[in-house]
Amino acid sequence: MNKLIITCAISGAEVTKEHSPYIPYTVKEMAEEAYQAYVAGASIIHLHVRHDDGRPTQSKLRYERVMKAILKRCPDVIIQPSTGGAVGMSRDERLKPVQLNPEMCTLDCGTLNFGGDDIFVNTENDIKYFAQVIAVHHVFPELECFEKGHIDMVLRLHKKGFIKDPMHFSFVLGVNGGMTGEERDFLFLKDSIPNGCTYSVAGIGKYEFSLAELSIKHGGHVRVGLEDNIFIEKGVLAKGNRELVEKVVKIAKSYGREIATPDEARDILGLRRK
Ligand code: KMH
Ligand code: ZN
């Protein structure tokens, strides 16, 4: 079996210290959480940044500081800034970290209701705009799909030339407002992408480890992290991202799947190291 790429979403934009005291806000906390996830086996850090008081921001300067601090602790890790940011941010605000020319970033491939009454807006026009800016900066986009219609959007924009090969998908399942993360959902999405594409699965909340296991079994990749789920088991808070990554590594080992280093992840995805 191919090696497993583990992405760790260390903070996100929505979870606060009131939900879990282990959520990192400051530059130092972010670097420490990224380092712990990396030591445990994560080769990609999916990154949102915050002000010191926890408010989400897409400030280029803040990303620059956090990325530098992370690379100081783990020089070969792949950093994947978010271009999703937080609900309500403008397109150009969300795209700010791309100006730093990271190796990867996310590209959100459709609109959905997001956790109750919020709407995470990604119209076709928005996606084309994001894809163009990301391409200008030679950044490799991870195609975030929260439901099947988002995959169809990617395939349409791929045909029109806005999204290029190699395509790497991320199925983010279990958002309140998006598709659930049952086995049938995962199988439907995995079978809906073209042969030769790679994919990773991020299960939100209770779906984190069941989806991780399914993806491991089927040769896909996995994202875990406090952005997606704060519990190591039902009712028990994870004491940081490291525990979540360690749990995935344990599942992977039970299926005989080795963990990819960052350079092996680059090879699998077709990434050029910057
Ligand atoms: N914070 C969500 C509204 C991404 O990182 O690209 C969007 C999000 C997706 O987290
Ligand atoms: Zn995110």
Side-chain angles (χ1 to χ4, degrees):
M1 266 237 192
N2 59 343
K3 290 199 177 181
L4 175 71
I5 302 172
I6 302 176
T7 298
C8 188
I10 60 172
S11 176
E14 291 83 21
V15 182
T16 67
K17 285 196 194 284
E18 281 72 49
H19 300 112
S20 167
Y22 304 105
I23 274 279
Y25 290 167
T26 66
V27 175
K28 202 171 155 212
E29 287 169 347
M30 294 252 174
E32 180 62 23
E33 277 302 299
Y35 176 71
Q36 294 298 335
Y38 164 83
V39 167
S43 49
I44 302 176
I45 302 296
H46 170 68
L47 190 65
H48 292 249
V49 297
R50 312 278 191 117
H51 293 288
D52 283 348
D53 62 8
R55 282 174 300 126
T57 173
Q58 289 292 100
S59 153
K60 181 179 162 187
L61 188 66
R62 187 66 168 194
Y63 266 102
E64 192 171 25
R65 288 185 60 205
V66 174
M67 286 165 67
K68 264 194 189 147
I70 292 175
L71 290 174
K72 206 168 164 194
R73 302 288 303 278
C74 16
D76 62 334
V77 81
I78 300 164
I79 302 183
Q80 178 198 83
S82 167
T83 67
V87 167
M89 289 177 171
S90 71
R91 309 201 291 197
D92 288 326
E93 195 178 0
R94 284 168 53 183
L95 277 162
K96 278 187 183 152
V98 172
Q99 293 169 17
L100 295 166
N101 303 310
E103 282 182 273
M104 278 184 103
C105 69
T106 54
L107 171 57
D108 293 280
C109 297
T111 296
L112 74 156
N113 288 339
F114 203 89
D117 290 328
D118 288 335
I119 305 173
F120 182 36
V121 178
N122 299 286
T123 66
E124 178 161 342
N125 220 359
D126 292 335
I127 302 163
K128 287 178 179 167
Y129 180 70
F130 276 75
Q132 281 169 326
V133 174
I134 289 167
V136 163
H137 288 271
H138 306 286
V139 183
F140 183 78
E142 179 172 274
L143 307 164
E144 307 255 323
C145 296
F146 297 78
E147 46 109 324
K148 166 69 162 56
H150 297 180
I151 294 179
D152 298 332
M153 173 71 82
V154 170
L155 302 183
R156 229 174 12 252
L157 296 186
H158 177 251
K159 245 190 206 155
K160 290 182 180 170
F162 288 94
I163 293 173
K164 305 255 190 285
D165 289 321
M167 290 197 285
H168 174 62
F169 290 81
S170 170
F171 307 142
V172 184
L173 301 181
V175 171
N176 175 9
M179 196 162 168
T180 58
E182 302 298 329
E183 182 168 9
R184 62 165 192 269
D185 303 316
F186 163 76
L187 294 173
F188 181 40
L189 296 193
K190 161 186 100 56
D191 292 339
S192 299
I193 62 173
N195 283 339
C197 294
T198 51
Y199 68 88
S200 180
V201 182
I204 305 302
K206 67 175 182 180
Y207 292 113
E208 183 157 82
F209 294 109
S210 54
L211 280 173
E213 184 165 355
L214 278 169
S215 193
I216 287 166
K217 248 178 26 190
H218 286 272
H221 303 284
V222 170
R223 175 176 117 177
V224 290
L226 295 174
E227 170 170 348
D228 300 337
N229 164 52
I230 57 175
F231 297 106
I232 190 70
E233 58 187 77
K234 201 167 188 248
V236 182
L237 284 178
K239 293 191 189 67
N241 286 283
R242 182 177 185 146
E243 283 190 1
L244 300 172
V245 175
E246 281 172 348
K247 188 161 168 173
V248 171
V249 170
K250 217 167 158 190
I251 300 170
K253 295 249 156 91
S254 76
Y255 284 94
R257 262 186 97 178
E258 298 288 320
I259 310 302
T261 63
D263 276 342
E264 287 167 342
R266 287 181 178 94
D267 286 344
I268 293 166
L269 299 176
L271 268 181
R272 262 174 300 134
R273 191 167 180 178
K274 284 189 174 176

